[in-house]
Amino acid sequence: GIADPKRIAIYGGSYGGYATLQGLVKDPDFYACGVDYVGVSNLFTFMEGIPPYWKPYLEMMYEMVGDPNNEEDKKRMTATSPALNANKIKAPLFVAQGANDPRVIKSESDQMVDAMKKRGIEVQYMVKDNEGHGFHNEENKFEFYREMESFLNKHIGANYEIAPSDR
């Protein structure tokens, strides 16, 4: 009774981006839309793309995320990889990604966007060539938040007014 059930969005970055995608998979009728900012979409390719500076922690990562060579883990990783379960998603999605992200590489977002497009589900994709894991360039941050605000306005009716200086 607190929120309008037709106007609930989910948003997160990095692990929160993964949680956003997984939320859209697990509760496809709950969210009106979602925003994934540099989030993991496929646990297998995420583990393959572990950056060199994380290699000393690979065993710990296998414990936390799963070992793709272990049959039990493989089943769980398949069930909890949003890109492999995108057929369950019904809500429009906005994905933002840095092209030079060493932690969550661009192919993670590419997979999710491709899966959504194949199903004909609305997906908006922003890639910034001069960004890594998260947007640090102020222009890119402003553009991301303007685009996200517009996306949310379209899908959940967030009321906002673009300032004359931003037009």
Side-chain angles (χ1 to χ4, degrees):
I2 295 170
D4 178 347
K6 291 182 172 79
R7 296 178 56 201
I8 297 174
I10 185 170
Y11 161 63
S14 193
Y15 175 79
Y18 166 78
T20 292
L21 297 173
Q22 195 60 359
L24 293 171
V25 167
K26 290 302 224 176
D27 293 307
D29 295 313
F30 189 76
Y31 301 103
C33 63
V35 179
D36 161 29
Y37 175 55
V38 301
V40 171
S41 72
N42 181 327
L43 297 176
F44 294 99
T45 55
F46 172 70
M47 292 300 288
E48 287 168 12
I50 293 286
Y53 57 90
W54 280 8
K55 292 291 182 192
Y57 306 104
L58 194 55
E59 286 303 315
M60 182 180 73
M61 293 295 293
Y62 284 155
E63 287 291 318
M64 291 171 31
V65 177
D67 180 349
N69 300 309
N70 175 298
E71 285 307 312
E72 273 302 296
D73 287 358
K74 226 172 169 172
K75 287 177 191 168
R76 187 179 40 74
M77 290 168 72
T78 299
T80 57
S81 289
L84 303 179
N85 295 284
N87 61 314
K88 297 175 182 168
I89 297 176
K90 298 178 182 178
L93 177 63
F94 176 35
V95 176
Q97 178 69 44
N100 301 311
D101 190 335
R103 287 185 228 154
V104 179
I105 59 177
K106 183 178 171 287
S107 72
E108 290 295 314
S109 291
D110 292 344
Q111 289 176 66
M112 198 67 222
V113 169
D114 290 345
M116 298 291 284
K117 284 181 177 177
K118 282 179 186 164
R119 295 202 41 251
I121 302 294
E122 181 185 338
V123 63
Q124 184 176 330
Y125 194 19
M126 174 184 283
V127 177
K128 292 297 177 185
D129 292 331
N130 59 342
E131 295 288 5
H133 192 67
F135 294 176
H136 301 283
N137 176 298
E138 198 169 273
E139 267 182 46
N140 292 339
K141 285 181 188 180
F142 287 144
E143 183 182 349
F144 168 63
Y145 288 118
R146 274 194 300 271
E147 290 295 318
M148 182 169 64
E149 186 175 41
S150 177
F151 178 83
L152 292 172
N153 183 54
K154 178 179 177 183
H155 296 289
I156 63 170
N159 294 320
Y160 76 97
E161 187 175 317
I162 297 174
S165 62
D166 288 343
R167 289 186 184 151

